Amino acid sequence: APVHSLDDLSSSRELFDAIVVPGGGLTSDGDAPEWVRERLNAALSLYETNAHAQFVLLSRGTPHKPPPVDLDGRPIDEATVSAEYLRERGVPATRLFQDTWSLDTIGNAVFLRIMHLEPRRLKRVAIITNKFHMGRVRTIFEWVLKANPRVVPFVTTYVEVPDVGLTPEQLAARVQKEAASLAKLQETTMQNFVTVDQIHAFVFEHHGAYATGIPRAPVSKELAASY
């Protein structure tokens, strides 16, 4: 599936059934960080020619650090913040679907497919993320969305936006982590877990963010700041 810039899509005026923004973290105050706002602003640009589309905002949070909380002490979900960002800028609430379950990019893709795309038969899917995240996003979403058996023959397009809002140290740490995670995924996981039921088994029996009894590896301060 191709990777495009926003300018590419603006000129082609391609239409989508679903416009998807993967999770990208929250600030300590519970706001969308600059790199996530870059994704959301791209989604708003696509809304101009895709007012019929559903916008799917992904992620409850991350296993790499505790979530921020609201004034009542309740955890703030990334997807809720992203959905409110779009709603406040004119996207109707009925066009906004949230994922308030997943904790990482693999979970993003699994929840998206099972809970939103397949039930609503959303076939043409645009997925927006930053350059530092795109390699792993594209690999994971192609793996999960194209796994058999397929209820919907998904057609995916990837929209890359710039890396903004991270210090050079934070960006370097994140790029290194993305490369290591992608290599491990391609060398082992994707070879052994191919079908939908196998991917489900991987997530809930082997993945540290979802499986019972598997410890989560700590991350550096610089890396945690990019989540």
Side-chain angles (χ1 to χ4, degrees):
V3 176
H4 294 284
S5 69
L6 191 58
D7 288 342
D8 293 338
L9 294 185
S10 297
S11 59
S12 70
R13 301 183 72 82
E14 188 170 350
L15 299 179
F16 302 102
D17 303 312
I19 297 170
V20 178
V21 180
L26 293 171
T27 67
S28 59
D29 295 328
D31 294 325
E34 189 174 352
W35 58 91
V36 174
R37 294 197 302 271
E38 194 79 6
R39 305 175 192 182
L40 295 169
N41 289 334
L44 285 171
S45 294
L46 292 180
Y47 177 61
E48 296 174 7
T49 52
N50 289 273
H52 67 286
Q54 296 297 150
F55 290 74
V56 189
L57 298 314
L58 302 176
S59 279
R60 178 184 180 187
T62 175
H64 298 304
K65 61 184 181 183
V69 297
D70 64 18
L71 295 177
D72 295 322
R74 296 184 177 89
I76 299 171
D77 292 338
E78 293 180 27
T80 302
V81 172
S82 293
E84 283 301 307
Y85 186 95
L86 296 183
R87 188 182 67 82
E88 290 169 358
R89 289 160 179 80
V91 182
T94 54
R95 292 290 171 196
L96 299 170
F97 291 163
Q98 298 182 39
D99 150 30
T100 54
W101 169 78
S102 68
L103 296 168
D104 80 318
T105 305
I106 293 175
N108 280 184
V110 169
F111 191 102
L112 173 68
R113 174 174 174 168
I114 293 173
M115 297 302 294
H116 290 309
L117 299 185
E118 287 185 340
R120 298 298 288 266
R121 300 298 193 269
L122 302 173
K123 176 182 176 181
R124 298 167 298 170
V125 185
I127 301 157
I128 305 169
T129 197
N130 306 93
K131 181 179 180 180
F132 73 77
H133 198 208
M134 181 56 78
R136 197 160 60 91
V137 161
R138 184 173 179 269
T139 299
I140 288 171
F141 279 70
E142 289 297 292
W143 170 48
V144 172
L145 296 185
K146 305 299 174 65
N148 289 318
R150 282 195 271 174
V151 176
V152 178
F154 300 115
V155 178
T156 49
T157 298
Y158 295 86
V159 184
E160 184 176 281
V161 297
D163 297 336
V164 295
L166 293 166
T167 68
E169 294 77 17
Q170 291 166 348
L171 182 58
R174 184 59 185 265
V175 168
Q176 183 178 22
K177 171 68 161 51
E178 291 288 320
S181 296
L182 179 57
K184 182 179 179 181
L185 181 76
Q186 291 174 319
E187 292 167 8
T188 58
T189 308
M190 291 176 62
Q191 305 299 320
N192 297 318
F193 301 91
V194 178
T195 62
V196 171
D197 60 313
Q198 290 171 345
I199 292 172
H200 184 279
F202 167 72
V203 170
F204 292 103
E205 297 173 24
H206 302 278
H207 194 305
Y210 310 100
T212 303
I214 297 180
R216 297 171 182 170
V219 300
S220 68
K221 181 180 178 181
E222 289 77 17
L223 182 56
S226 71
Y227 285 92

